[in-house]
Amino acid sequence: MAAQIDLDKCNMCGGLTEPLCVEICPDLAIRVQDGRPVVTEFLCEDCNECGCVCPDHAITVPLAKVTF
């Protein structure tokens, strides 16, 4: 299971050019589609980098899947 984004909590925080989760993802597994962040599950390595930088606490990775 990949990172899960709660779209009700996500405010599209905005990094330099994209939301922080998109900018930080080392696997390029998160992109913006139709104005919302989307996770491509087969690319996500469950590292939780996106969850750590999310100021809205909108991203979770099941604890059993975290790879660090």
Side-chain angles (χ1 to χ4, degrees):
M1 178 176 282
Q4 302 295 305
I5 301 175
D6 183 342
L7 297 177
D8 291 330
K9 290 182 180 179
C10 178
N11 290 314
M12 296 293 288
C13 59
L16 295 175
T17 59
E18 298 279 351
L20 293 173
C21 58
V22 174
E23 288 186 356
I24 197 73
C25 182
D27 304 309
L28 304 175
I30 305 175
R31 69 185 187 290
V32 175
Q33 180 177 324
D34 298 327
R36 301 311 255 165
V38 176
V39 178
T40 304
E41 288 196 33
F42 73 89
L43 293 176
C44 181
E45 296 281 334
D46 304 314
C47 67
N48 200 33
E49 292 290 325
C50 55
C52 290
V53 300
C54 180
D56 302 320
H57 305 287
I59 303 174
T60 56
V61 175
L63 199 51
K65 294 284 188 177
V66 175
T67 57
F68 64 91

